[in-house]
Amino acid sequence: MKKIAPLLLPILALAACGEEPAPEPTPEAAPAAEEVVELPAPDQELFAGLLAEQCPGAEPVNTAVCRRAMGAEEAVCEYGLGDDEYLRNAATIAVNEAGDAWMLTEGDAVCPQ
């Protein structure tokens, strides 16, 4: 009991002190969480759909390779149409103004004549 008494004395002294209530937290306006839309990486399927939408009469994309720098809002896609297995053509795609989809930047200029 003699060993416990020195330990209890400071605890009892603190318990005897009156406790003030903690101040109520002031409500702070929490910053609105910004919604982040993650776009799919541009690939052959995505590019083929964009080109087919922009140029309905064009041959379908046979092969395509899209490259973009990390975090860039544009990508360059090289592609071949129809039976062509070579990447003879190139087009640039970019994130639209809403930031939720890819779009062709050259418009009708990329459509084959």
Side-chain angles (χ1 to χ4, degrees):
M1 182 74 178
K2 289 183 180 182
K3 292 182 180 180
I4 297 177
L7 296 175
L8 290 176
L9 191 57
I11 295 173
L12 292 175
L14 287 175
C17 295
E19 286 188 30
E20 293 182 21
E24 291 188 27
T26 56
E28 293 182 19
E34 190 174 314
E35 185 177 329
V36 177
V37 176
E38 292 200 24
L39 294 176
D43 59 4
Q44 179 174 334
E45 182 180 344
L46 178 103
F47 179 74
L50 290 173
L51 191 67
E53 186 178 301
Q54 184 73 34
C55 311
E59 292 183 79
V61 173
N62 181 34
T63 185
V65 175
C66 297
R67 295 180 182 95
R68 92 174 164 160
M70 184 180 292
E73 294 191 4
E74 288 189 346
V76 175
C77 297
E78 297 176 1
Y79 61 99
L81 298 173
D83 295 331
D84 193 0
E85 61 187 47
Y86 299 103
L87 305 173
R88 298 183 194 274
N89 307 297
T92 303
I93 62 174
V95 177
N96 66 7
E97 288 183 19
D100 59 355
W102 291 99
M103 65 178 194
L104 282 167
T105 58
E106 287 102 7
D108 291 335
V110 65
C111 295
Q113 305 304 331

